[in-house]
Amino acid sequence: MAADERRKAGKFFREIKAEMKKVTWPTRNDLLAYTEVVLVVVIAFTLLIFLADSAFSYLLKLIIKS
């Protein structure tokens, strides 16, 4: 690795470190609340997809039997 590439890599990682210090990290309570919202939405969509799949399967079985 050339000296110029090492210098660029070092600068890159220093800039990453500086940017990470600017990040506002969520509190534990915020993180738990966001996780709860994600789980509720995932469960709701799972149920919706299950119901739609069941309905389409039932309709397909009716069509095939005809």
Side-chain angles (χ1 to χ4, degrees):
M1 185 184 263
D4 187 46
E5 290 175 352
R6 279 189 295 240
R7 214 173 15 258
K8 286 181 182 180
K11 181 182 177 192
F12 175 73
F13 286 110
R14 282 191 302 278
E15 289 175 356
I16 288 175
K17 186 176 179 182
E19 288 299 318
M20 292 302 285
K21 287 181 180 180
K22 296 177 186 177
V23 173
T24 304
W25 298 100
T27 64
R28 180 176 171 83
N29 289 338
D30 288 343
L31 193 61
L32 291 174
Y34 299 153
T35 302
E36 186 178 316
V37 169
V38 168
L39 289 175
V40 167
V41 170
V42 166
I43 290 169
F45 273 100
T46 301
L47 183 61
L48 179 68
I49 291 170
F50 172 76
L51 291 173
D53 182 54
S54 296
F56 287 129
S57 294
Y58 178 74
L59 290 173
L60 187 60
K61 286 179 186 176
L62 286 177
I63 293 170
I64 291 175
K65 283 185 179 180
S66 296

